[in-house]
């Protein structure tokens, strides 16, 4: 009976996304324990990834390939994306085991992935991403035609391998980032306000704004701590993060944020591959939502704001017309 109760904490009825971690089994010590377990698992995850990368580098040589440095770049890209993608089982473990609730409650108010809604968000994201990328290429003076012809990939197979790695791993990497930065963070903050408390402090914590602020600025804060001089990049990340956090609350799930994140990252990583710039991916050119933030200029912020603003308008309109759930069901069967 205990194991069944442990595995089946019900979603709180009629709650917004950020309050889904406040289940009947919630205790005051669950949020700090969840943070501690996540940090420990993250530490061992990165140690394991670095160990594997070191072993592969030793066995394969410093370039990870005898004939082409591009293969080494692809291997590094695959390791980096796979390492971030492994945050998916880490976050799901914290939700399922530490917080004693259904893993699907991390995704949406319905306790599952709303696949049809996710597909609509992905297709919708193509509009602002295409427009923003085209404008960026235009103002940066780096059109696609200048890329592939000047790049020595060694063979078409190497470029195809890079695109295959991107197609397979970028969606997982994007989903993992949203599940961690938006999902877990917002729900940890949202669980703090007591439903029975009438104090101003409890009312503020129950509102979505502390959760939106935390989930929207966490990645920007982490980036700023390691790149203190990149003001425009940091602000662009904050704009993107706050918009995705608000959209997560507004649509009752991570699907809308994942949709834009996946499309943005696929486009930007593909451009890096085609233009022979895979080595720049790990240095900050493509980060946080797939935004091309290596230039650190006001234009970056302007393009990010325009792209995100257009996506917000399109997705909120679709959610309103489609009746997308913003709260968990009052009764569950």
């Amino acid at each position: 009976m205990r194991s069944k109760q442990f595995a089946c904490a019900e979603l709180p009825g009629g709650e917004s996304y950020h309050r889904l971690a406040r289940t009947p089994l919630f205790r005051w010590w669950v949020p700090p324990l969840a943070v501690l377990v996540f940090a420990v698992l993250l530490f061992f995850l990165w140690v394991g990834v670095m160990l594997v990368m070191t072993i592969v580098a030793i066995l394969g040589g410093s370039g990870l390939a005898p004939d082409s440095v591009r293969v080494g770049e692809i291997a590094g890209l695959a390791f980096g994306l796979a390492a971030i993608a492994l945050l998916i089982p880490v976050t799901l473990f914290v939700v399922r085991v530490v917080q004693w609730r259904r893993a699907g409650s991390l995704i949406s108010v319905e306790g599952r992935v709303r696949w049809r809604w996710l597909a609509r968000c992905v297709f919708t994201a193509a509009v602002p991403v295409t427009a923003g990328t085209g404008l960026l290429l235009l103002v940066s003076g780096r059109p696609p035609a200048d890329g592939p012809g000047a790049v020595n990939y060694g063979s078409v197979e190497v470029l195809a391998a890079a695109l295959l790695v991107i197609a397979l791993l970028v969606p997982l990497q994007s989903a993992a980032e949203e599940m961690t930065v938006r999902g877990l963070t917002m729900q940890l903050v949202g669980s703090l306000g007591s439903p029975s408390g009438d104090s101003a402090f409890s009312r503020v914590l129950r509102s979505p704004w502390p959760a939106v602020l935390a989930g929207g600025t966490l990645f920007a804060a982490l980036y700023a701590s390691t790149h203190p001089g990149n003001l425009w990049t940091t602000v662009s990340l904050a704009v993107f993060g706050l918009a995705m956090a608000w959209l997560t609350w507004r649509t009752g799930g991570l699907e809308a944020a994942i949709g834009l994140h996946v499309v943005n990252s696929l486009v930007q990583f593909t451009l890096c591959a085609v233009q022979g710039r895979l080595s720049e991916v790990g240095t900050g050119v493509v980060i946080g939502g797939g935004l091309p933030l290596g230039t650190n200029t006001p234009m970056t912020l302007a393009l990010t704001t325009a792209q995100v603003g257009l996506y917000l308008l399109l997705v909120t309109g679709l959610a309103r017309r489609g009746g997308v759930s913003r709260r968990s069901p009052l009764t569950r069967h």
Side-chain angles (χ1 to χ4, degrees):
M1 182 64 68
R2 287 184 178 180
S3 62
K4 183 178 180 180
Q5 185 183 25
F6 176 83
C8 300
E10 293 292 336
L11 289 177
E15 289 286 0
S16 297
Y17 175 83
H18 70 292
R19 294 283 292 170
L20 294 183
R22 190 80 186 199
T23 68
L25 297 179
F26 177 86
R27 300 295 183 270
W28 67 267
W29 44 264
V30 170
L33 179 61
V35 173
L36 177 62
V37 171
F38 179 83
V40 171
L41 292 177
L42 185 63
F43 171 77
F44 284 107
L45 170 64
W46 284 108
V47 168
V49 169
M50 294 303 298
L51 180 62
V52 172
M53 289 184 66
T54 301
I55 293 175
V56 172
I58 293 174
L59 294 178
S62 60
L64 295 179
D67 301 322
S68 175
V69 70
R70 297 293 169 186
V71 176
E73 293 176 1
I74 295 170
L77 174 66
F79 275 119
L81 292 175
I84 298 175
L86 287 175
L87 288 175
I88 293 177
V90 170
T91 55
L92 293 180
F93 177 87
V94 171
V95 168
R96 182 73 169 180
V97 177
V98 181
Q99 296 182 321
W100 303 333
R101 59 190 176 106
R102 295 175 54 185
S105 62
L106 182 67
I107 306 299
S108 78
V109 293
E110 296 184 11
R112 61 181 179 83
V113 180
R114 298 170 293 186
W115 291 107
R116 182 175 299 181
W117 172 237
L118 176 60
R120 294 179 69 183
C121 291
V122 168
F123 283 111
T124 303
V127 176
V129 170
T130 301
T133 302
L135 185 58
L136 176 67
L137 291 173
L138 182 64
V139 300
S140 66
R142 185 187 285 173
D146 293 345
V151 176
N152 179 21
Y153 280 99
S155 67
V156 176
E157 289 78 7
V158 176
L159 175 58
L163 296 179
L164 180 62
V165 167
I166 291 170
L168 292 178
L169 294 181
V170 165
L172 296 176
Q173 168 256 344
S174 301
E177 289 184 0
E178 291 302 324
M179 291 170 65
T180 304
V181 179
R182 240 68 69 186
L184 192 60
T185 301
M186 289 182 64
Q187 291 185 345
L188 280 173
V189 174
S191 68
L192 298 178
S194 172
S196 59
D198 294 328
S199 66
F201 184 70
S202 290
R203 289 196 297 270
V204 169
L205 287 178
R206 289 198 301 268
S207 74
W209 306 116
V212 168
L213 184 63
T217 60
L218 176 60
F219 192 91
L222 293 175
Y223 180 83
S225 66
T226 56
H227 302 79
N230 292 357
L231 173 63
W232 298 110
T233 296
T234 301
V235 178
S236 297
L237 283 171
V239 168
F240 182 90
L242 287 170
M244 294 304 100
W246 179 85
L247 198 58
T248 297
W249 167 77
R250 172 63 180 79
T251 60
L254 292 173
E255 295 93 346
I258 291 174
L260 180 60
H261 199 143
V262 167
V263 175
N264 231 347
S265 294
L266 283 174
V267 170
Q268 297 304 327
F269 275 77
T270 299
L271 283 176
C272 283
V274 171
Q275 294 174 344
R277 299 185 293 122
L278 282 179
S279 61
E280 298 178 1
V281 169
T283 62
V285 173
V286 180
I287 54 176
L291 301 178
L293 301 173
T295 54
N296 190 39
T297 65
M299 181 60 68
T300 300
L301 175 59
L303 290 174
T304 300
T305 303
Q307 183 186 79
V308 169
L310 178 57
Y311 184 70
L312 287 181
L313 289 175
L314 294 174
V315 170
T316 52
L318 285 175
R320 184 170 53 253
R321 291 191 298 270
V324 176
S325 301
R326 298 175 58 178
R327 293 182 177 272
S328 57
L330 290 174
T331 58
R332 303 192 61 85
H333 302 286

